[in-house]
Amino acid sequence: RRSGLNALQLVFDQRSVSIEYPAKDSAYAEGVMGPINNLNPFFASTDAEISAGKLIFSSLLSYDTNGRLQGEVAESYKIDASGKVYTVNIRPDVKWHDGKPLTADDIVFTINAMKNPATGSRHYSSWQSIEAVASGQYQVTFTLPTSYAPFASALTFPILPGHILGKIPPEQLQENDFSTKPVGSGPFKFVDLLTIDTNKDKKALQLTSNDDYWQGQPKLSRFSLYAYGSREDLANAVQRREVNAASGVKVAAIGLKNEDAVLNNGVFALLKTDSLILKDANIRKALARGLDRQKLRDQLGGKSVLEGPIINSQTPEASKVTQLSYNFATANKILDASKWLKNKDGIRTKGGQALELRVVAVDTSNYRKLTKLLVQQWRKLGIKMEVQLIDPEQIQQIILRPRAYDILVYELSMGGDPDGYAFWHSSQASDSGLNFSDYESPSADDALVTARGRTDIQSRDSKYETFAKNWVADVPAIALYRSSLNYTTTQGTNSLADEGALVGATDRYYNIIDWSSEQARTYNTP
């Protein structure tokens, strides 16, 4: 009995003077939604492929875990007086995973590949009018056709190795062996891509730490990215401890930690301003007035506030402009004044026509719940609501391109810059554009265009304030909330930064060289 007590005392004494350090040879396994079919970041389309690109490749600039733009491969950059010429100095100590130096030629190669329509890059249209030249071994000069304030945020593209891909015809890049055996310059190097279960489209990307990474060797020796075909499989994987963490799901269980990182993504009820009923701004105003957004956010588990077309605090004055507040009585008065009157069944009609609106969203558990809550509130106004849920893979062709909806419940990736041109300028109200409200306003258009041409934040802010006021008055959409990245980890995992907000989901990797998964004890002499 005495010897047992002494043994316990010895263990206690050792623990009382020990310090925990991340194990030097530690591995981290993260589960994400797949599939993984292509590891060339030009062609990444799934969460898993985009995540892989962030781990393997580097960018000139990247967003930190507070949403601020920071230098990565770029050591510094300057803008000339015209606002049209950006000179970027790149770090001379960045190497490709094969040991070759990353130079200005690689940057120019990447830009020209993106610009070439034969490549098939989704960034093709964004770079057409921009010229990139190597003005030194470690310096690149970008020349824009006109001053464009958000340009720095475009320098977050993944850089490809020109010395490997330079002789590959652009039309063959997607099918080249590089797409399954990539060579990057990021914190982790490619080892293998394994198929675990063909029936469930489950694969495992095996990576090892880049010992020559410019920012320092990662604490993790190995990183595995497991791609799952369904969120249910992803959630089960972290519950079974098959992975250290799962990105994109929240799992409540003993020994698991849930974190929510707010994203610069906005979930909107996008109102098709040229539809038969919603072309009447009064109906749009009634929808905004009749929606208790705070109640909605509470019912969805406490979502972050978004009250307009600009991310909170991105611009000091413009972000203060908020959309119409909830007032159920006012909403009813607006509809009454518009001669949409309730019949004996409580449905509003005018001239024998029912006030009926079609709401469309992607068919996921989150959106099923969200649309149910939305239509519950709007039905109380006497509006007849039809709900259609569409497979995420089909929504582009079936719904978005033909604009087949009255109200689209959808998430917009708003980015790290307040520029909302892509979502609200009238030129983007086409089958290939992102102005899903088909919103047209000459005043809003002018403010958006002018703001793009000004580099100082005060001048931009005043223009975005004008735009926001027009947006609020016209009600082309209702901002519902900012979305979050749900991240579930097992005990002993140190990864996602606690502070701030992320511009995009893969910005969680900004501090990845400090991530760890296993703990080793070092005993100090008392």
Side-chain angles (χ1 to χ4, degrees), residues 2-80:
R2 181 182 297 273
S3 62
L5 287 172
N6 287 341
L8 286 172
Q9 185 65 41
L10 176 61
V11 171
F12 176 78
D13 287 343
Q14 286 179 327
R15 287 183 176 272
S16 66
V17 293
S18 69
I19 300 174
E20 286 191 345
Y21 293 101
K24 291 184 178 179
D25 188 26
S26 60
Y28 192 101
E30 182 183 76
V32 289
M33 287 296 296
I36 299 179
N37 294 321
N38 198 308
L39 293 172
N40 185 327
F42 269 19
F43 311 108
S45 60
T46 67
D47 290 349
E49 290 174 346
I50 295 169
S51 296
K54 195 73 171 180
L55 293 163
I56 298 171
F57 295 88
S58 296
S59 303
L60 285 172
L61 302 176
S62 60
Y63 284 101
D64 65 16
T65 51
N66 282 301
R68 296 174 302 215
L69 206 55
Q70 305 285 359
E72 191 173 335
V73 170
E75 197 167 42
S76 63
Y77 70 91
K78 64 179 181 179
I79 312 169
D80 79 340

Side-chain angles (χ1 to χ4, degrees), residues 85-202:
V85 180
Y86 285 67
T87 303
V88 181
N89 297 304
I90 65 177
R91 300 177 186 277
D93 55 349
V94 181
K95 296 180 180 178
W96 293 104
H97 294 158
D98 62 4
K100 301 288 186 181
L102 189 154
T103 68
D105 289 338
D106 295 305
I107 313 297
V108 173
F109 164 77
T110 302
I111 299 298
N112 288 337
M114 283 194 290
K115 289 172 62 175
N116 193 326
T119 302
S121 168
R122 57 194 174 92
H123 301 294
Y124 159 72
S125 60
S126 302
W127 289 91
Q128 281 310 289
S129 58
I130 297 171
E131 180 185 1
V133 297
S135 43
Q137 186 177 6
Y138 297 107
Q139 187 179 80
V140 182
T141 300
F142 296 92
T143 303
L144 286 58
T146 186
S147 178
Y148 177 55
F151 181 69
S153 63
L155 299 179
T156 55
F157 61 86
I159 304 166
L160 295 183
H163 70 284
I164 295 177
L165 299 176
K167 294 183 180 180
I168 307 298
E171 63 274 11
Q172 296 179 17
L173 276 180
Q174 189 165 359
E175 304 303 325
N176 188 264
D177 287 347
F178 185 87
S179 294
T180 54
K181 297 178 181 179
V183 175
S185 57
F188 288 91
K189 299 189 290 185
F190 173 82
V191 175
D192 204 355
L193 179 61
L194 307 173
T195 298
I196 308 299
D197 189 334
T198 54
N199 293 327
K200 293 188 175 182
D201 210 6
K202 179 182 174 184

Side-chain angles (χ1 to χ4, degrees), residues 237-432:
V238 73
Q239 282 185 310
R240 294 192 304 263
R241 307 304 194 266
E242 185 178 299
V243 293
N244 299 93
S247 175
V249 294
K250 181 179 288 188
V251 183
I254 296 174
L256 296 180
K257 179 183 177 183
N258 292 302
E259 297 179 85
D260 290 324
V262 180
L263 299 172
N264 278 14
N265 290 2
V267 176
F268 291 81
L270 297 153
L271 312 180
K272 193 168 182 293
T273 57
D274 56 356
S275 72
L276 182 62
I277 291 177
L278 292 181
K279 64 184 178 182
D280 183 348
N282 287 323
I283 307 299
R284 305 198 299 267
K285 290 176 182 177
L287 289 171
R289 287 289 198 187
L291 185 62
D292 187 341
R293 295 181 296 278
Q294 185 56 57
K295 179 182 178 181
L296 183 73
R297 290 190 286 264
D298 292 342
Q299 290 173 319
L300 294 170
K303 297 291 186 180
S304 296
V305 175
L306 178 65
E307 287 292 357
I310 297 174
I311 292 292
N312 314 27
S313 76
Q314 271 193 337
T315 49
E317 297 304 318
S319 58
K320 293 178 183 177
V321 180
T322 59
Q323 59 192 335
L324 297 173
S325 60
Y326 169 65
N327 191 313
F328 189 74
T330 299
N332 276 296
K333 288 178 181 178
I334 292 172
L335 293 173
D336 289 340
S338 299
K339 306 302 182 185
W340 287 100
L341 306 177
K342 289 184 179 180
N343 62 19
K344 60 182 178 60
D345 298 319
I347 301 297
R348 291 185 179 272
T349 63
K350 182 166 65 173
Q353 177 190 2
L355 179 51
E356 182 175 1
L357 296 172
R358 181 165 169 254
V359 181
V360 179
V362 291
D363 189 6
T364 64
S365 58
N366 289 338
Y367 280 94
R368 282 194 293 272
K369 183 176 182 179
L370 172 56
T371 52
K372 180 180 179 180
L373 294 172
L374 282 171
V375 299
Q376 280 177 350
Q377 291 200 41
W378 283 329
R379 280 173 178 156
K380 292 178 181 178
L381 292 170
I383 302 173
K384 189 176 181 180
M385 307 298 299
E386 175 194 352
V387 176
Q388 183 178 9
L389 298 171
I390 301 292
D391 186 300
E393 294 184 3
Q394 296 180 314
I395 196 167
Q396 179 68 34
Q397 293 300 322
I398 296 177
I399 300 298
L400 300 185
R401 292 185 72 89
R403 301 294 198 262
Y405 49 81
D406 294 306
I407 301 173
L408 174 68
V409 182
Y410 202 67
E411 183 172 333
L412 303 180
S413 299
M414 300 167 73
D417 190 275
D419 178 45
Y421 182 96
F423 306 121
W424 310 115
H425 193 274
S426 61
S427 66
Q428 305 305 301
S430 64
D431 62 357
S432 60

